[in-house]
Amino acid sequence: QKEVEQNSGPLSVPEGAIASLNCTYSDRGSQSFFWYRQYSGKSPELIMFIYSNGDKEDGRFTAQLNKASQYVSLLIRDSQPSDSATYLCAVLSNDYKLSFGAGTTVTVRA
Amino acid sequence: DGGITQSPKYLFRKEGQNVTLSCEQNLNHDAMYWYRQDPGQGLRLIYYSQIVNDFQKGDIAEGYSVSREKKESFPLTVTSAQKNPTAFYLCASSTGQGSGETQYFGPGTRLLVL
């Protein structure tokens, strides 16, 4: 089974700070990478996806991908209390199956 | 209003009982998926279907069954063979166009054993 590992957390950051989430994956042939946000008791919602090495920015979120290191990260700038949630890293392999990490729980302190 | 619906929101199962979870989408997506989420864990793939009348086992298919008779619908049956069914069940769909496709999730069904 393909492995997706995330820093276990929980991660506590003050309001306005940067939250940094990390994810590594085992399948070197993986092509697409996703970050989902999941509030307690709710289903995951897509934040960002990234396919190419480098950075991709969308508002306060930046995804970074390094395929050589098999590493993908998510930065949340100017963290808000509404960002408090569990963030799931997901990796799409060549057989089009999505593998998920266990998630990192982020708490933004007001 | 397009989206994915799952019902019921909560479902209670008695010992030895089969139960069926509903998943419907009106996004015209070809591919549909069922995942299971246990507390503190990521999502695990149960079954998936890339096209009507075809489906494949995921990583934890034992004790589950599915059907895909219509494009819009992908019901999951939790059979009595599944000995630890208590979990949050999530249905997802995607366009099924291969690499890069994004999966979108329904609201989930929480299954509890009486």
Side-chain angles (χ1 to χ4, degrees), chain A residues 20-109:
Chain A
S20 177
L21 307 172
N22 302 318
C23 175
T24 58
Y25 58 95
S26 63
D27 182 8
R28 187 169 289 278
S30 299
Q31 296 295 322
S32 307
F33 307 87
F34 304 84
W35 283 100
Y36 288 86
R37 176 176 62 200
Q38 186 175 26
Y39 292 114
S40 181
K42 302 296 185 182
S43 63
E45 55 180 327
L46 182 72
I47 299 176
M48 292 190 68
F49 58 86
I50 186 167
Y51 312 139
S52 304
N53 279 327
D55 295 358
K56 180 181 179 182
E57 187 174 316
D58 184 359
R60 296 185 295 110
F61 298 96
T62 298
Q64 298 173 318
L65 175 62
N66 183 327
K67 289 186 179 180
S69 300
Q70 295 174 241
Y71 172 90
V72 58
S73 67
L74 180 71
L75 299 177
I76 307 173
R77 292 184 303 281
D78 187 25
S79 295
Q80 302 297 309
S82 60
D83 295 326
S84 297
T86 297
Y87 290 80
L88 302 173
C89 173
V91 176
L92 189 70
S93 58
N94 283 338
D95 59 1
Y96 308 130
K97 289 184 186 178
L98 203 57
S99 297
F100 287 82
T104 299
T105 298
V106 174
T107 301
V108 180
R109 310 187 302 270

Coordinates of all heavy atoms in Angstrom, one line a residue, chain A residues 20-109:
Chain A
S20 N 2.7 25.7 9.0 CA 3.5 25.0 8.0 C 3.2 23.5 8.2 O 3.4 22.9 9.3 CB 5.0 25.2 8.2 OG 5.7 24.4 7.3
L21 N 2.6 22.9 7.2 CA 2.2 21.5 7.2 C 3.1 20.7 6.2 O 3.2 21.1 5.1 CB 0.7 21.3 6.9 CG -0.2 22.2 7.7 CD1 -1.6 22.2 7.2 CD2 -0.2 21.8 9.2
N22 N 3.5 19.5 6.6 CA 4.4 18.7 5.8 C 3.8 17.4 5.5 O 3.1 16.8 6.3 CB 5.7 18.5 6.5 CG 6.4 19.8 6.8 OD1 6.4 20.8 6.0 ND2 7.0 19.9 8.0
C23 N 4.2 16.8 4.3 CA 3.7 15.5 3.9 C 4.8 14.9 3.0 O 5.3 15.5 2.1 CB 2.4 15.8 3.1 SG 1.7 14.3 2.3
T24 N 5.0 13.6 3.3 CA 5.9 12.8 2.4 C 5.2 11.6 1.9 O 4.2 11.1 2.5 CB 7.2 12.3 3.2 OG1 6.8 11.5 4.3 CG2 8.0 13.5 3.7
Y25 N 5.6 11.1 0.7 CA 4.9 10.0 0.1 C 5.9 9.0 -0.4 O 7.0 9.3 -0.7 CB 4.0 10.5 -1.0 CG 4.7 11.3 -2.1 CD1 5.1 10.7 -3.2 CD2 4.9 12.6 -1.9 CE1 5.7 11.4 -4.2 CE2 5.5 13.4 -2.9 CZ 5.9 12.7 -4.1 OH 6.6 13.4 -5.1
S26 N 5.5 7.7 -0.5 CA 6.4 6.7 -0.9 C 6.4 6.3 -2.4 O 7.4 5.8 -2.9 CB 6.0 5.4 -0.1 OG 4.7 4.9 -0.4
D27 N 5.3 6.6 -3.1 CA 5.2 6.2 -4.5 C 5.8 7.2 -5.4 O 5.2 8.3 -5.6 CB 3.7 6.0 -4.8 CG 3.6 5.5 -6.3 OD1 4.6 5.2 -6.9 OD2 2.4 5.4 -6.7
R28 N 7.0 6.9 -5.9 CA 7.8 7.9 -6.7 C 7.0 8.3 -8.0 O 7.3 9.3 -8.6 CB 9.2 7.4 -6.9 CG 10.1 8.3 -7.6 CD 11.5 7.8 -7.6 NE 12.1 7.9 -6.3 CZ 12.7 9.0 -5.8 NH1 12.7 10.1 -6.4 NH2 13.2 8.9 -4.6
G29 N 6.2 7.4 -8.4 CA 5.4 7.6 -9.7 C 4.2 8.5 -9.5 O 3.5 8.7 -10.5
S30 N 3.9 9.0 -8.3 CA 2.7 9.8 -8.0 C 2.8 11.1 -8.9 O 3.9 11.7 -9.0 CB 2.6 10.1 -6.6 OG 2.5 8.9 -5.8
Q31 N 1.6 11.5 -9.3 CA 1.6 12.7 -10.2 C 0.9 13.9 -9.7 O 1.2 15.0 -10.1 CB 0.9 12.2 -11.6 CG 1.7 11.2 -12.3 CD 3.0 11.6 -12.8 OE1 3.2 12.8 -13.3 NE2 4.0 10.8 -12.7
S32 N -0.1 13.6 -8.9 CA -0.9 14.8 -8.4 C -1.1 14.7 -6.9 O -1.2 13.7 -6.3 CB -2.3 14.7 -9.1 OG -2.2 14.5 -10.4
F33 N -1.2 15.9 -6.3 CA -1.1 16.1 -4.9 C -2.2 17.1 -4.4 O -2.3 18.1 -5.1 CB 0.3 16.5 -4.5 CG 1.4 15.6 -5.0 CD1 1.9 15.9 -6.3 CD2 1.8 14.5 -4.4 CE1 2.8 15.0 -6.9 CE2 2.8 13.7 -4.9 CZ 3.3 13.9 -6.2
F34 N -2.9 16.7 -3.4 CA -4.0 17.5 -3.0 C -3.9 17.8 -1.5 O -3.5 17.0 -0.7 CB -5.3 16.7 -3.2 CG -5.5 16.3 -4.7 CD1 -4.9 15.2 -5.1 CD2 -6.2 17.1 -5.5 CE1 -5.0 14.8 -6.5 CE2 -6.4 16.7 -6.9 CZ -5.8 15.6 -7.3
W35 N -4.4 18.9 -1.1 CA -4.6 19.3 0.3 C -6.1 19.5 0.6 O -6.8 20.3 -0.1 CB -3.9 20.5 0.7 CG -2.4 20.3 0.9 CD1 -1.4 20.5 0.0 CD2 -1.8 19.7 2.1 NE1 -0.2 20.2 0.5 CE2 -0.4 19.7 1.8 CE3 -2.2 19.2 3.3 CZ2 0.5 19.2 2.7 CZ3 -1.3 18.8 4.2 CH2 0.1 18.7 3.9
Y36 N -6.7 18.8 1.5 CA -8.0 18.9 1.9 C -8.1 19.4 3.4 O -7.2 19.1 4.2 CB -8.8 17.6 1.9 CG -9.1 17.0 0.5 CD1 -8.2 16.3 -0.2 CD2 -10.3 17.3 -0.1 CE1 -8.5 15.7 -1.4 CE2 -10.6 16.7 -1.3 CZ -9.7 16.0 -2.0 OH -10.0 15.5 -3.2
R37 N -9.1 20.2 3.7 CA -9.4 20.7 5.0 C -10.6 20.0 5.5 O -11.6 19.8 4.8 CB -9.6 22.2 5.0 CG -10.0 22.8 6.4 CD -10.1 24.3 6.3 NE -11.1 24.7 5.4 CZ -11.2 25.9 4.8 NH1 -10.3 26.8 5.1 NH2 -12.2 26.2 4.0
Q38 N -10.6 19.5 6.8 CA -11.7 18.8 7.3 C -12.0 19.3 8.7 O -11.2 19.2 9.7 CB -11.4 17.3 7.4 CG -12.6 16.5 7.9 CD -12.4 14.9 7.8 OE1 -11.2 14.5 7.9 NE2 -13.4 14.2 7.7
Y39 N -13.2 20.0 8.8 CA -13.6 20.4 10.1 C -14.2 19.2 10.9 O -14.7 18.2 10.3 CB -14.7 21.5 10.0 CG -14.1 22.8 9.4 CD1 -14.5 23.3 8.2 CD2 -13.2 23.6 10.2 CE1 -14.1 24.5 7.7 CE2 -12.7 24.8 9.7 CZ -13.2 25.2 8.4 OH -12.7 26.4 7.9
S40 N -14.2 19.3 12.2 CA -14.6 18.2 13.1 C -16.0 17.8 12.7 O -17.0 18.6 12.7 CB -14.5 18.6 14.5 OG -14.9 17.6 15.4
G41 N -16.2 16.5 12.4 CA -17.5 15.9 12.1 C -18.0 16.2 10.7 O -19.1 15.8 10.4
K42 N -17.2 16.8 9.9 CA -17.6 17.2 8.5 C -16.7 16.4 7.5 O -15.8 15.7 7.9 CB -17.4 18.7 8.3 CG -18.2 19.6 9.2 CD -19.7 19.3 9.1 CE -20.5 20.3 10.0 NZ -22.0 20.1 9.9
S43 N -17.1 16.5 6.3 CA -16.4 15.8 5.2 C -15.2 16.7 4.7 O -15.2 17.9 4.9 CB -17.3 15.4 4.1 OG -17.8 16.6 3.5
P44 N -14.2 16.1 4.1 CA -13.1 16.9 3.6 C -13.5 17.8 2.4 O -14.4 17.5 1.6 CB -12.1 15.9 3.1 CG -12.5 14.6 3.7 CD -14.0 14.7 3.9
E45 N -12.9 19.0 2.4 CA -13.1 20.0 1.3 C -11.8 20.3 0.7 O -10.8 20.5 1.4 CB -13.9 21.2 1.8 CG -13.3 21.9 2.9 CD -14.1 23.2 3.3 OE1 -14.7 23.8 2.5 OE2 -14.0 23.5 4.6
L46 N -11.7 20.4 -0.6 CA -10.5 20.7 -1.3 C -10.0 22.1 -1.1 O -10.8 23.0 -1.2 CB -10.7 20.4 -2.8 CG -9.4 20.6 -3.6 CD1 -8.4 19.5 -3.4 CD2 -9.8 20.7 -5.1
I47 N -8.7 22.2 -0.7 CA -8.1 23.5 -0.6 C -7.3 23.8 -1.8 O -7.5 24.9 -2.5 CB -7.2 23.6 0.6 CG1 -8.0 23.4 1.9 CG2 -6.5 25.0 0.7 CD1 -7.1 23.4 3.1
M48 N -6.4 22.9 -2.2 CA -5.5 23.1 -3.3 C -5.1 21.8 -3.9 O -5.1 20.8 -3.2 CB -4.2 23.9 -2.8 CG -4.4 25.3 -2.4 SD -2.9 26.1 -2.1 CE -2.3 26.2 -3.8
F49 N -4.6 21.9 -5.1 CA -4.0 20.8 -5.8 C -2.7 21.3 -6.5 O -2.7 22.4 -6.9 CB -4.9 20.0 -6.7 CG -5.4 20.9 -7.8 CD1 -4.7 21.1 -9.0 CD2 -6.7 21.4 -7.7 CE1 -5.2 21.9 -10.0 CE2 -7.2 22.2 -8.7 CZ -6.5 22.5 -9.8
I50 N -1.7 20.4 -6.6 CA -0.5 20.8 -7.3 C 0.1 19.6 -8.0 O 0.0 18.5 -7.6 CB 0.5 21.4 -6.2 CG1 1.8 21.9 -6.9 CG2 0.9 20.3 -5.2 CD1 2.7 22.7 -6.0
Y51 N 0.6 19.9 -9.3 CA 1.1 18.8 -10.1 C 2.6 19.0 -10.4 O 3.3 18.0 -10.6 CB 0.4 18.8 -11.4 CG -1.1 18.8 -11.4 CD1 -1.9 19.6 -12.3 CD2 -1.8 18.1 -10.4 CE1 -3.2 19.6 -12.2 CE2 -3.2 18.1 -10.3 CZ -3.9 18.9 -11.2 OH -5.3 18.9 -11.2
S52 N 3.0 20.2 -10.4 CA 4.4 20.5 -10.9 C 5.3 20.9 -9.7 O 4.8 21.5 -8.7 CB 4.4 21.6 -11.9 OG 3.5 21.3 -13.0
N53 N 6.6 20.6 -9.8 CA 7.5 21.0 -8.8 C 7.5 22.5 -8.6 O 7.3 23.3 -9.6 CB 8.9 20.6 -9.2 CG 9.2 19.2 -8.9 OD1 8.7 18.6 -7.9 ND2 10.0 18.5 -9.7
G54 N 7.7 23.0 -7.4 CA 7.7 24.4 -7.1 C 6.5 24.8 -6.2 O 6.0 24.0 -5.5
D55 N 6.2 26.1 -6.3 CA 5.2 26.6 -5.4 C 3.9 27.0 -6.2 O 4.0 27.3 -7.4 CB 5.7 27.9 -4.8 CG 6.8 27.7 -3.8 OD1 7.2 26.5 -3.7 OD2 7.4 28.7 -3.3
K56 N 2.8 26.9 -5.5 CA 1.5 27.3 -6.1 C 0.8 28.0 -5.0 O 0.6 27.5 -3.9 CB 0.7 26.1 -6.6 CG -0.7 26.5 -7.2 CD -1.4 25.2 -7.6 CE -2.8 25.6 -8.2 NZ -3.6 24.4 -8.6
E57 N 0.4 29.3 -5.3 CA -0.3 30.1 -4.3 C -1.7 30.3 -4.7 O -2.1 30.5 -5.8 CB 0.5 31.5 -4.3 CG 0.0 32.4 -3.2 CD 0.8 33.7 -3.1 OE1 2.1 33.5 -3.2 OE2 0.3 34.7 -2.9
D58 N -2.6 30.3 -3.6 CA -4.0 30.6 -3.8 C -4.5 31.3 -2.5 O -4.7 30.7 -1.5 CB -4.8 29.3 -4.0 CG -6.3 29.6 -4.3 OD1 -6.7 30.8 -4.3 OD2 -7.0 28.6 -4.5
G59 N -4.5 32.7 -2.6 CA -4.9 33.5 -1.4 C -3.9 33.3 -0.3 O -2.7 33.5 -0.6
R60 N -4.3 32.9 0.8 CA -3.4 32.8 2.0 C -2.7 31.4 2.0 O -1.9 31.1 2.9 CB -4.2 32.9 3.3 CG -4.7 34.4 3.5 CD -5.4 34.5 4.8 NE -6.6 33.7 5.0 CZ -6.6 32.6 5.8 NH1 -5.5 32.3 6.6 NH2 -7.7 31.9 6.0
F61 N -3.0 30.5 1.0 CA -2.5 29.2 1.0 C -1.4 29.1 -0.1 O -1.5 29.6 -1.2 CB -3.6 28.2 0.7 CG -4.6 28.1 1.8 CD1 -5.8 28.8 1.6 CD2 -4.5 27.4 2.9 CE1 -6.8 28.8 2.6 CE2 -5.4 27.3 3.9 CZ -6.6 28.0 3.7
T62 N -0.3 28.4 0.3 CA 0.8 28.1 -0.7 C 1.1 26.6 -0.6 O 1.4 26.1 0.5 CB 2.0 28.9 -0.5 OG1 1.7 30.3 -0.6 CG2 3.1 28.5 -1.5
A63 N 1.0 25.9 -1.7 CA 1.5 24.5 -1.7 C 2.8 24.5 -2.4 O 3.1 25.2 -3.3 CB 0.5 23.6 -2.5
Q64 N 3.7 23.6 -1.8 CA 5.0 23.4 -2.4 C 5.3 21.9 -2.6 O 4.9 21.1 -1.8 CB 6.1 23.9 -1.3 CG 5.9 25.4 -1.0 CD 6.8 25.8 0.1 OE1 7.0 25.1 1.1 NE2 7.5 27.0 0.0
L65 N 5.8 21.6 -3.8 CA 6.0 20.3 -4.2 C 7.5 20.1 -4.6 O 8.0 20.8 -5.4 CB 5.1 19.9 -5.4 CG 5.3 18.5 -6.0 CD1 5.1 17.4 -5.0 CD2 4.4 18.3 -7.2
N66 N 8.1 19.0 -4.1 CA 9.4 18.6 -4.5 C 9.4 17.1 -4.8 O 9.5 16.3 -3.9 CB 10.4 18.9 -3.4 CG 11.9 18.6 -3.8 OD1 12.1 17.6 -4.5 ND2 12.8 19.4 -3.3
K67 N 9.3 16.7 -6.1 CA 9.1 15.3 -6.4 C 10.4 14.5 -6.2 O 10.3 13.3 -5.8 CB 8.7 15.2 -7.9 CG 7.2 15.6 -8.1 CD 6.8 15.4 -9.6 CE 5.4 15.8 -9.8 NZ 5.0 15.5 -11.2
A68 N 11.5 15.2 -6.3 CA 12.8 14.4 -6.1 C 12.9 14.0 -4.6 O 13.4 12.9 -4.3 CB 14.0 15.3 -6.4
S69 N 12.4 14.8 -3.7 CA 12.4 14.5 -2.3 C 11.1 13.8 -1.8 O 11.0 13.5 -0.7 CB 12.6 15.8 -1.5 OG 13.9 16.4 -1.8
Q70 N 10.2 13.7 -2.7 CA 8.9 13.1 -2.4 C 8.2 13.8 -1.2 O 7.8 13.2 -0.3 CB 9.0 11.6 -2.2 CG 9.5 10.9 -3.5 CD 9.8 9.4 -3.2 OE1 10.9 9.0 -3.4 NE2 8.8 8.7 -2.8
Y71 N 8.1 15.1 -1.4 CA 7.7 16.0 -0.3 C 6.7 17.0 -0.8 O 7.0 17.6 -1.9 CB 9.0 16.6 0.3 CG 8.8 17.7 1.3 CD1 8.7 17.4 2.6 CD2 8.7 19.0 0.9 CE1 8.5 18.4 3.6 CE2 8.5 20.0 1.9 CZ 8.4 19.7 3.2 OH 8.3 20.7 4.1
V72 N 5.7 17.2 -0.1 CA 4.7 18.3 -0.4 C 4.3 19.0 0.9 O 4.2 18.3 1.9 CB 3.5 17.7 -1.2 CG1 2.8 16.7 -0.4 CG2 2.5 18.8 -1.6
S73 N 4.2 20.3 0.8 CA 3.9 21.0 2.0 C 2.7 22.0 1.7 O 2.4 22.3 0.6 CB 5.1 21.8 2.6 OG 5.5 22.8 1.7
L74 N 2.2 22.5 2.8 CA 1.1 23.6 2.7 C 1.4 24.6 3.8 O 1.7 24.3 4.9 CB -0.3 23.0 3.0 CG -1.4 24.0 3.0 CD1 -1.7 24.4 1.5 CD2 -2.7 23.4 3.6
L75 N 1.5 25.9 3.3 CA 1.7 27.0 4.2 C 0.4 27.8 4.3 O -0.2 28.1 3.2 CB 2.8 27.9 3.7 CG 4.2 27.3 3.6 CD1 5.2 28.3 3.0 CD2 4.7 26.8 4.9
I76 N 0.0 28.1 5.5 CA -1.2 29.0 5.7 C -0.6 30.3 6.3 O -0.2 30.3 7.4 CB -2.2 28.3 6.6 CG1 -2.5 26.9 6.2 CG2 -3.4 29.2 6.7 CD1 -3.4 26.2 7.2
R77 N -0.7 31.4 5.5 CA -0.3 32.7 6.0 C -1.4 33.4 6.7 O -2.6 33.1 6.4 CB 0.2 33.5 4.8 CG 1.5 33.0 4.2 CD 2.0 33.9 3.1 NE 1.0 34.2 2.1 CZ 0.7 33.3 1.1 NH1 1.4 32.2 1.0 NH2 -0.2 33.6 0.2
D78 N -1.0 34.3 7.6 CA -2.0 35.1 8.3 C -3.1 34.2 8.9 O -4.3 34.4 8.6 CB -2.6 36.2 7.4 CG -3.5 37.2 8.1 OD1 -3.3 37.3 9.4 OD2 -4.4 37.7 7.5
S79 N -2.7 33.2 9.6 CA -3.7 32.2 10.1 C -4.8 32.8 10.9 O -4.6 33.7 11.7 CB -3.0 31.2 11.0 OG -2.0 30.4 10.3
Q80 N -6.0 32.3 10.6 CA -7.2 32.8 11.3 C -7.9 31.7 12.1 O -7.7 30.5 11.8 CB -8.2 33.3 10.2 CG -7.7 34.4 9.3 CD -7.4 35.6 10.1 OE1 -8.2 36.1 10.8 NE2 -6.2 36.2 9.9
P81 N -8.6 32.0 13.1 CA -9.3 31.0 13.9 C -10.1 30.0 13.1 O -10.3 28.9 13.4 CB -10.2 31.8 14.9 CG -9.4 33.1 15.1 CD -8.8 33.4 13.7
S82 N -10.7 30.6 12.0 CA -11.5 29.7 11.1 C -10.6 28.7 10.3 O -11.1 27.7 9.7 CB -12.2 30.5 10.0 OG -11.3 31.3 9.3
D83 N -9.3 28.8 10.4 CA -8.4 27.8 9.8 C -8.2 26.6 10.7 O -7.6 25.6 10.3 CB -7.0 28.4 9.5 CG -7.1 29.5 8.4 OD1 -7.9 29.4 7.5 OD2 -6.3 30.5 8.6
S84 N -8.7 26.7 11.9 CA -8.6 25.5 12.9 C -9.4 24.4 12.3 O -10.6 24.4 12.2 CB -9.1 25.9 14.2 OG -8.3 27.0 14.8
A85 N -8.6 23.3 12.0 CA -9.2 22.1 11.4 C -8.1 21.1 11.2 O -7.0 21.3 11.6 CB -9.8 22.5 10.0
T86 N -8.5 19.9 10.7 CA -7.5 18.9 10.3 C -7.3 19.0 8.8 O -8.2 19.1 8.0 CB -8.0 17.5 10.7 OG1 -8.2 17.4 12.1 CG2 -7.0 16.4 10.2
Y87 N -6.0 19.0 8.5 CA -5.6 19.1 7.1 C -5.1 17.8 6.6 O -4.1 17.2 7.2 CB -4.5 20.2 6.9 CG -5.1 21.6 7.1 CD1 -5.4 22.0 8.4 CD2 -5.6 22.4 6.1 CE1 -6.0 23.2 8.7 CE2 -6.2 23.6 6.3 CZ -6.4 24.0 7.6 OH -7.0 25.2 7.8
L88 N -5.7 17.3 5.5 CA -5.3 16.0 4.9 C -4.5 16.1 3.7 O -4.9 16.9 2.7 CB -6.6 15.2 4.6 CG -7.6 14.9 5.8 CD1 -8.8 14.3 5.3 CD2 -6.9 14.0 6.8
C89 N -3.4 15.4 3.6 CA -2.6 15.4 2.4 C -3.1 14.1 1.6 O -3.2 13.1 2.2 CB -1.1 15.3 2.8 SG 0.0 15.0 1.4
A90 N -3.2 14.3 0.3 CA -3.7 13.1 -0.5 C -2.8 13.1 -1.8 O -2.5 14.1 -2.4 CB -5.2 13.3 -0.9
V91 N -2.5 11.9 -2.2 CA -1.6 11.7 -3.3 C -2.2 10.7 -4.3 O -2.7 9.6 -3.9 CB -0.2 11.1 -2.8 CG1 0.7 10.8 -4.0 CG2 0.4 12.0 -1.8
L92 N -2.3 11.1 -5.5 CA -2.9 10.3 -6.6 C -1.8 9.6 -7.3 O -0.9 10.2 -7.9 CB -3.6 11.2 -7.6 CG -4.5 10.5 -8.6 CD1 -5.7 9.9 -7.9 CD2 -5.0 11.5 -9.7
S93 N -1.9 8.2 -7.3 CA -0.9 7.4 -7.9 C -1.2 7.1 -9.4 O -2.3 7.6 -9.9 CB -0.7 6.1 -7.1 OG -2.0 5.4 -7.1
N94 N -0.3 6.4 -10.1 CA -0.5 6.2 -11.5 C -1.7 5.3 -11.8 O -2.2 5.3 -12.9 CB 0.7 5.6 -12.1 CG 1.8 6.6 -12.3 OD1 1.5 7.8 -12.4 ND2 3.0 6.2 -12.4
D95 N -2.2 4.6 -10.8 CA -3.4 3.8 -11.0 C -4.7 4.6 -10.6 O -5.7 4.0 -10.4 CB -3.3 2.5 -10.2 CG -3.2 2.6 -8.7 OD1 -3.1 3.8 -8.3 OD2 -3.0 1.6 -8.0
Y96 N -4.5 5.9 -10.4 CA -5.6 6.8 -10.2 C -6.3 6.6 -8.8 O -7.4 7.0 -8.6 CB -6.6 6.8 -11.3 CG -6.0 7.0 -12.7 CD1 -6.3 6.1 -13.7 CD2 -5.1 8.0 -12.9 CE1 -5.7 6.3 -14.9 CE2 -4.5 8.2 -14.1 CZ -4.8 7.3 -15.1 OH -4.2 7.5 -16.3
K97 N -5.6 5.9 -7.9 CA -6.1 5.8 -6.6 C -5.5 6.9 -5.7 O -4.4 7.2 -5.8 CB -5.8 4.4 -6.0 CG -6.5 3.3 -6.6 CD -6.1 2.0 -5.8 CE -6.7 0.8 -6.5 NZ -6.3 -0.5 -5.8
L98 N -6.4 7.4 -4.8 CA -6.0 8.5 -4.0 C -5.6 7.9 -2.6 O -6.5 7.2 -2.0 CB -7.1 9.5 -3.8 CG -6.8 11.0 -3.4 CD1 -5.8 11.6 -4.4 CD2 -8.1 11.8 -3.4
S99 N -4.4 8.2 -2.1 CA -4.0 7.7 -0.8 C -3.9 8.9 0.1 O -3.4 10.0 -0.2 CB -2.6 7.0 -0.9 OG -2.7 5.9 -1.7
F100 N -4.4 8.8 1.4 CA -4.5 9.9 2.3 C -3.5 9.7 3.5 O -3.3 8.6 4.0 CB -5.9 10.0 2.9 CG -6.9 10.6 1.9 CD1 -7.5 9.8 1.0 CD2 -7.2 11.9 2.0 CE1 -8.4 10.3 0.1 CE2 -8.1 12.5 1.1 CZ -8.7 11.7 0.1
G101 N -3.0 10.8 3.9 CA -2.3 10.8 5.2 C -3.3 10.8 6.3 O -4.5 11.0 6.1
A102 N -2.8 10.7 7.6 CA -3.7 10.6 8.7 C -4.2 12.0 9.1 O -5.1 12.1 9.9 CB -3.0 10.0 9.9
G103 N -3.5 13.1 8.6 CA -4.0 14.4 8.9 C -3.2 15.1 10.0 O -2.6 14.4 10.8
T104 N -3.1 16.4 9.9 CA -2.5 17.2 10.9 C -3.6 18.2 11.4 O -4.2 18.9 10.6 CB -1.3 18.0 10.4 OG1 -0.3 17.2 9.9 CG2 -0.7 18.9 11.5
T105 N -3.8 18.2 12.7 CA -4.8 19.1 13.3 C -4.1 20.4 13.6 O -3.1 20.5 14.3 CB -5.4 18.5 14.6 OG1 -6.1 17.3 14.2 CG2 -6.4 19.4 15.2
V106 N -4.7 21.5 13.1 CA -4.2 22.8 13.4 C -5.2 23.6 14.3 O -6.4 23.6 14.0 CB -4.0 23.6 12.1 CG1 -3.6 25.0 12.3 CG2 -3.0 22.9 11.2
T107 N -4.6 24.2 15.3 CA -5.4 25.1 16.2 C -4.8 26.5 16.1 O -3.6 26.7 16.3 CB -5.4 24.6 17.6 OG1 -6.0 23.3 17.7 CG2 -6.3 25.6 18.5
V108 N -5.6 27.5 15.7 CA -5.2 28.9 15.7 C -5.7 29.6 16.9 O -6.9 29.7 17.2 CB -5.7 29.6 14.4 CG1 -5.2 31.0 14.4 CG2 -5.2 28.8 13.2
R109 N -4.7 30.1 17.7 CA -5.0 30.7 19.0 C -5.3 32.2 18.8 O -4.5 32.9 18.1 CB -3.9 30.6 20.0 CG -3.3 29.2 20.1 CD -2.3 29.1 21.2 NE -1.2 30.0 21.0 CZ -0.1 29.7 20.4 NH1 0.1 28.5 19.8 NH2 0.9 30.6 20.2

